Amino acid sequence: MRVIIQPDYAKMSEWTAYYIASRINRFKPSAGKPFVLGLPTGSSPLGTYKKLIELHQQGRLSFDHVITFNMDEYIGIPKSHPESYYSFMWNNFFNHIDIPKKNIHMLDGNAPDLEAECALYEQAIQDFGGIELFLGGIGPDGHLAFNEPFSSLRSKTRVKTLATDTIIANSRFFGNDLNLVPKTTLTVGIQTIMSAREVVVVVSGHSKARAVRHAIEEPINHVWTISILQTHPKGMIVCDEDATDELKHGTYKYFKYIEKDNLDPETLI
């Protein structure tokens, strides 16, 4: 596992965006060989999306031959709802880049058959040859996508009931009214994410420091689903200083030292 430690959220986001851009540009995607990118929602990736948009506007990055698959969606709220993840992605990312609409794949939380929707989503990922890079974020309890604590580490795309802590955390987007927060979602599974050829997880803030410790220093277990990243051959955490607060001093120094020549985003592209 690689761990890139940046001073703050802005620098963490910039580095991650430049890294994704470098991976896409080096891949040289085409109509016959698209780059397949997995994407999250939430506050963690917003800075990364902003920087990716800037790189596109500067002419340094095109999404013309990029295929995207999003991680999750609420069940039961319309796409037009301001807090649907469909709205989130279009408002914060897709509307600002040159990605063709046909290349965007998102779970439908209002599908008449939710299990069939999940199976079709998994099949679509396979039809495109699998995901090249999956970008993710985590919650304070270490959940990856909506794979809450105690999720199967071999799970695939499915219906998932949200934990109370997640409902409380997400209530800030629903006027702090817990009753308005959807209680179930569609989410890619842990195995779906881990099948990607590379997984990059962005983490910021002291509130997620315990999850970072479990991800890096503690044994793999289904209580902290992010810990499965330890098994990925190309797993990476990009975090800010505050998110490292619970790491052992030796662990912190180790990653700061071995990545010391890789921290300038401009050297990536």
Side-chain angles (χ1 to χ4, degrees), residues 228-244:
I228 194 65
L229 191 63
Q230 296 173 28
T231 68
H232 200 285
K234 286 192 174 182
M236 183 191 308
I237 290 175
V238 187
C239 62
D240 59 15
E241 289 282 349
D242 287 346
T244 69

Side-chain angles (χ1 to χ4, degrees), residues 41-42 70 72-92 106-110 146 173-174 180 182:
T41 54
N70 261 80
D72 38 37
E73 179 58 282
Y74 289 121
I75 291 174
I77 62 174
K79 289 181 178 180
S80 59
H81 192 288
E83 297 306 331
S84 75
Y85 289 157
Y86 181 92
S87 294
F88 177 98
M89 290 305 302
W90 280 97
N91 292 336
N92 292 294
M106 304 183 74
L107 286 157
D108 182 0
N110 293 289
F146 273 132
F173 302 117
F174 293 84
L180 296 179

Side-chain angles (χ1 to χ4, degrees), residues 106-109 111-122 157 186:
M106 304 183 74
L107 286 157
D108 182 0
D113 186 334
L114 295 176
E115 290 189 6
E117 172 72 6
C118 293
L120 288 170
Y121 205 69
E122 285 282 340
T157 304
L186 299 182

